[in-house]
């Protein structure tokens, strides 16, 4: 069975979209790993990737093809930022 190693800031929803291309796969992903869909995932944690009937290969192949991983959860680093510093760190790197 396939597995994935969690990176910092990833949620089950991120992994569902990245791997399956469809957020509806989050339920089967949670059930197969005996965790809640809202559980905070630890970096390095390994999750089993079951077969899912909800897939969009165009989306999952896009992430695989460019080597990108989705990580949308708030991390300690991002939670220390506020306002535009958080929203636009590369456009407005100075504090307003």
């Amino acid at each position: 069975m396939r597995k994935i190693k969690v990176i910092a800031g990833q949620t089950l929803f991120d992994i569902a979209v990245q791997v399956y291309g469809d957020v509806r796969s989050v339920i089967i992903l949670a059930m197969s790993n005996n965790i809640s869909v809202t559980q905070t995932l630890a970096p390095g944690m390994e999750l089993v990737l079951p077969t899912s009937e909800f897939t969009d290969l165009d989306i999952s192949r896009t992430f695989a093809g460019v080597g990108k991983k989705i990580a949308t959860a708030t991390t300690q680093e991002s939670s220390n930022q506020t306002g535009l510093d958080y929203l636009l760190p590369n456009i407005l790197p100075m504090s307003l």
Side-chain angles (χ1 to χ4, degrees):
M1 186 164 285
R2 296 183 325 156
K3 292 185 177 184
I4 189 169
K5 191 175 281 192
V6 176
I7 64 169
Q10 275 190 319
T11 67
L12 275 185
F13 290 91
D14 295 333
I15 293 169
V17 172
Q18 176 184 313
V19 173
Y20 302 103
D22 193 317
V23 74
R24 294 176 294 175
S25 294
V26 75
I27 301 299
I28 192 165
L29 188 56
M31 290 174 57
S32 295
N33 288 281
N34 198 29
I35 57 178
S36 165
V37 296
T38 59
Q39 180 171 326
T40 300
L41 305 178
M45 182 178 186
E46 283 195 350
L47 300 176
V48 172
L49 298 174
T51 303
S52 175
E53 64 184 89
F54 301 110
T55 59
D56 185 329
L57 295 178
D58 289 335
I59 293 173
S60 61
R61 285 180 184 150
T62 297
F63 286 108
V66 296
K68 298 292 181 184
K69 295 183 179 181
I70 304 171
T72 62
T74 302
T75 61
Q76 182 63 36
E77 180 180 310
S78 66
S79 66
N80 290 334
Q81 298 174 326
T82 60
L84 292 178
D85 289 338
Y86 176 74
L87 297 172
L88 305 168
N90 295 320
I91 297 171
L92 298 171
M94 68 264 174
S95 186
L96 297 179

